């Protein structure tokens, strides 16, 4: 008997195991992307002329199909999770860098001048003033990057067993079990929604200082265009 | 004392923000830099805490070049208040105020106590301590800005158009509050504004700057109004500088008369004896009720609703000659009513007498002015 949650043995994971794998493959790249985006965005904020070319570069990276990435990377990293995660991390930059730059730029000039005049050095100014005020914009960027990453992980199925829940799609075809495809799609959707809810919660916790009502959607926040692109890419 | 010595700021594109400016900013007083936009007043202010570095010239703080100490130390010894307050929107009121004390290594508790003390000093309800800036009005935010600048008790306070973004009523309240705080604390305040009325009201000394960052005149406000250096300053001061200059003249010496003042139960003889076109009737406690021609008054039956209004009264010694003149102009009889703190009539004074007082004050002023000049020359010689 083959039920909704009976995962074919060649996937080497239970349903719960696939979820864990999926989250790991989706979230580590976003975290890595954030770590990479923070200094890059800081440079872009400081040297304004750097920003347009950097933005162009991330867009070009985003335009490279993941399959092409895999072909290049597979020589170095093999058929591993890393081969899936590197492109995902690079894709996340396309939303994270502008989110951070816009967030940091949204700090009013008066606030920055006041901070400077009070004797806050550049490091303190960045960590104590600019980053906290940019937090809502950064989290808005993380929401898009996370949702996109969760759906994109499935393409890992293309290089064998690295698609996590995405492998269920392949298995559904292979064993003629459409319920596995339904399972994969529903689980991924639920995961994406759960992560999104957690991020929203995080923002609410971090920003008691934001006027109520202004909480939903900062100006650099939701980028539906990017999100749809990611969905299309996942297909 | 802050000494600005022939300081010039030229930007790489050739714009001259400040041109060989020299100023001596006295301790424990408010020095106002005023001028049209582009006159370099904000640049000058920002050179004092080195947010802008001068191209040429030096600035001395208590005799020492400000370049000689670490820039953060210098800045922490100077409070800074900016337009729109520039509060940290992600921090509560109390944490905003405690910023510099915390950086200077004060304990959390001590810094918060200090913040609460300052909130009271600037007229903020301490119940607002845990609020975030978005929950405050513009005026309240600006008060927090002032409290934050005062937090570490710096000797110098730099204020960059701090009150220009709030409405006129709130602005007047903030200005009065600043004068009160200054009376208590005696800081060396450098205050930038584009509003000449604000400059005249707040400044002990006023520096008028013109476009291109050149000093047009540096003088106490009364002298500025009575004796503008050139057409630019005169034009900048506006049309009614004569009237405004009266704000600096006292009403202490004004000669009051009680002859036309009568109580509500005045006898017919008293009414007939007064040698005036109008009589001021008071109530039982001596507070003014209104004016009337003597022939319209019936002894024993004075009806307050039949009296002419008396405009508004002034308090001699507290209000200026400008207020007294205004009261006289507002009064339908041309006489101003002088009252004491409790609102009881001390006497009345005519426009004529006020005019005489103004002329006398001008003569005295000219003499004092010449004496002052002579004194300066002696010091210089």
């Amino acid at each position: 008997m083959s039920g909704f949650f009976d995962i074919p043995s060649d996937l080497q994971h239970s349903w719960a195991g696939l979820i864990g794998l999926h989250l790991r493959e989706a979230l580590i790249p976003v975290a890595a992307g954030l770590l990479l985006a923070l200094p890059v965005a800081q440079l872009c904020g400081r040297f304004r002329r750097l920003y347009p070319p950097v933005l162009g570069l991330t867009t070009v990276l985003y335009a490279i199909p993941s399959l092409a990435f895999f072909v290049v990377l597979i020589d170095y990293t093999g058929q591993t999770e890393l081969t899936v995660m590197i492109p995902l991390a690079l894709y996340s930059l396309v939303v994270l860098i502008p989110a951070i730059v816009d967030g940091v730029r949204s700090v009013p000039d008066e606030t920055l001048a006041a901070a400077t005049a009070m004797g806050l050095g550049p490091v303190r100014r960045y960590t104590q003033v600019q980053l906290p005020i940019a937090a809502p914009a950064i989290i808005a960027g993380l929401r898009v990057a996370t949702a996109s990453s969760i759906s994109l992980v499935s393409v890992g199925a293309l290089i064998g067993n690295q698609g996590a829940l995405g492998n269920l799609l392949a298995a559904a075809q292979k064993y003629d079990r459409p319920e596995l495809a339904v399972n994969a799609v529903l689980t991924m959707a639920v995961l994406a929604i759960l992560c999104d809810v957690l991020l929203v919660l995080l923002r609410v916790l971090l920003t008691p200082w934001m006027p109520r009502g202004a909480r939903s959607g900062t100006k650099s926040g939701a980028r539906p265009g990017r999100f749809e692109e990611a969905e299309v890419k996942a297909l | 004392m802050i000494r600005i010595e022939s300081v010039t700021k030229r930007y790489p594109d050739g714009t001259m923000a400040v041109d060989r400016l020299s100023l001596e900013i006295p301790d424990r007083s408010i020095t106002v830099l005023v001028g049209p936009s582009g006159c370099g007043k904000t640049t000058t202010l920002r050179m004092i805490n080195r947010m802008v570095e001068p191209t040429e010239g030096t600035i001395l703080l208590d005799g020492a070049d400000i370049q000689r100490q670490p820039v953060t130390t210098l800045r922490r010894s100077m409070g800074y208040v900016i337009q729109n307050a520039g509060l940290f929107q992600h921090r509560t009121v109390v944490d905003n105020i405690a910023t510099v004390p915390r950086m200077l290594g004060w304990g959390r508790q001590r810094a918060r106590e200090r913040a609460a003390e300052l909130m009271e000093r600037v007229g903020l309800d301490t119940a607002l301590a845990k609020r975030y800036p978005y929950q405050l009005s513009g005026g309240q935010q600006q008060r927090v800005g002032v409290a934050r600048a005062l937090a570490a008790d710096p000797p110098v306070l730099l204020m960059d158009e701090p009150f220009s973004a709030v409405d006129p009523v709130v602005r007047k309240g903030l200005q009065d509050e600043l004068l009160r705080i200054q009376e208590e604390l005696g800081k060396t305040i450098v205050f930038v504004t584009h509003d000449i009325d604000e400059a005249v009201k707040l400044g002990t000394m006023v520096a008028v700057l013109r476009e291109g960052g050149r000093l047009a005149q540096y003088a106490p406000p009364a002298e500025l109004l009575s004796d503008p250096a050139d057409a630019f300053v005169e034009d900048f001061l506006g049309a009614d500088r004569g009237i405004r200059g009266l704000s600096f003249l006292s009403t202490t010496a004004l000669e009051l008369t009680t002859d036309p003042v009568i109580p509500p139960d005045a006898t017919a003889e008293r009414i007939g004896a007064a040698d005036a076109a109008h009589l001021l009737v008071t109530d039982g406690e001596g507070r003014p009720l209104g004016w009337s021609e003597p022939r319209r008054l019936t002894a024993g039956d004075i009806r307050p609703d039949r009296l002419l209004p008396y405009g508004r009264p002034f308090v001699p010694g507290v209000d200026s000659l400008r207020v007294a003149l205004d009261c006289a102009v507002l009064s339908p009889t041309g006489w101003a009513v002088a009252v004491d703190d409790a609102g009881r009539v001390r006497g009345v004074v005519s426009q004529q007498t006020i005019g005489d007082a103004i002329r006398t004050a001008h003569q005295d002023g000219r003499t004092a002015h010449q004496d002052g000049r002579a004194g300066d020359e002696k010091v210089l010689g």
Side-chain angles (χ1 to χ4, degrees), chain B residues 52-244:
Chain B
V52 174
E53 298 286 5
T55 317
E56 284 160 31
T58 50
I59 298 176
L60 304 174
L61 177 64
D62 295 327
D65 191 337
I66 57 166
Q67 298 288 338
R68 290 266 177 84
Q69 58 174 318
V71 69
T72 49
T73 316
L74 178 80
R75 287 176 186 164
R76 284 170 203 175
S77 73
M78 295 179 173
Y80 191 84
V81 188
I82 197 170
Q83 189 177 0
N84 295 318
L87 297 184
F88 298 144
Q89 63 199 66
H90 61 298
R91 291 192 182 163
T92 57
V93 167
V94 64
D95 287 339
N96 261 286
I97 299 172
T99 305
V100 178
R102 293 286 288 150
M103 274 197 299
L104 293 172
W106 295 24
R108 183 177 294 268
Q109 193 55 38
R110 188 173 157 223
R112 293 211 159 165
E113 277 163 19
R114 172 73 178 150
E117 180 193 323
L118 280 164
M119 285 183 71
E120 282 174 14
R121 173 143 276 163
V122 300
L124 278 172
D125 187 349
T126 43
L128 299 174
K130 297 283 179 198
R131 297 266 184 97
Y132 286 98
Y134 83 88
Q135 295 165 309
L136 305 179
S137 70
Q140 287 171 329
Q141 291 193 20
Q142 206 50 264
R143 281 170 202 264
V144 176
V146 173
R148 182 174 67 175
L150 290 169
D153 202 18
V156 176
L157 209 54
L158 307 177
M159 308 185 83
D160 188 2
E161 306 216 14
F163 307 147
S164 56
V166 290
D167 69 66
V169 177
V170 176
R171 188 182 312 143
K172 184 180 178 301
L174 289 167
Q175 290 167 344
D176 293 339
E177 199 83 1
L178 179 70
L179 288 172
R180 187 183 60 72
I181 294 170
Q182 172 65 359
E183 201 145 292
E184 291 167 17
L185 300 180
K187 300 287 178 194
T188 303
I189 299 178
V190 188
F191 191 107
V192 163
T193 180
H194 60 261
D195 176 357
I196 185 66
D197 289 320
E198 187 169 59
V200 165
K201 177 174 180 180
L202 297 178
T204 315
M205 290 290 284
V206 177
V208 184
L209 302 175
R210 67 172 90 228
E211 285 94 341
R214 274 170 302 137
L215 183 64
Q217 189 170 6
Y218 188 40
E223 187 185 325
L224 206 64
L225 287 168
S226 65
D227 210 359
D230 57 22
F232 169 78
V233 179
E234 193 172 354
D235 191 42
F236 192 69
L237 284 165
D240 51 355
R241 62 183 173 86
I243 298 286
R244 273 152 50 201

Side-chain angles (χ1 to χ4, degrees), chain A residues 74-99:
Chain A
I74 224 156
D75 284 345
Y76 304 94
T77 51
Q79 283 173 281
T80 60
E81 287 174 29
L82 201 57
T83 309
V84 182
M85 292 197 285
I86 290 172
L88 292 188
L90 293 175
Y91 291 155
S92 76
L93 296 181
V94 82
V95 274
L96 291 179
I97 290 177

Side-chain angles (χ1 to χ4, degrees), chain A residues 119-134:
Chain A
L120 274 82
V123 176
R124 273 201 161 122
R125 220 159 46 220
Y126 184 63
T127 57
Q128 296 184 7
V129 180
Q130 290 175 306
L131 269 192
I133 293 177

Side-chain angles (χ1 to χ4, degrees), chain B residues 31-42:
Chain B
T31 301
V32 181
L33 308 178
V34 64
S37 50
C39 72
K41 51 193 191 296
T42 294

Side-chain angles (χ1 to χ4, degrees), chain A residues 138-158:
Chain A
I138 297 175
I139 291 176
L142 281 175
R143 287 173 64 188
V144 179
T146 304
S148 138
S149 195
I150 287 173
S151 65
L152 282 173
V153 163
S154 345
V155 297
L158 291 171

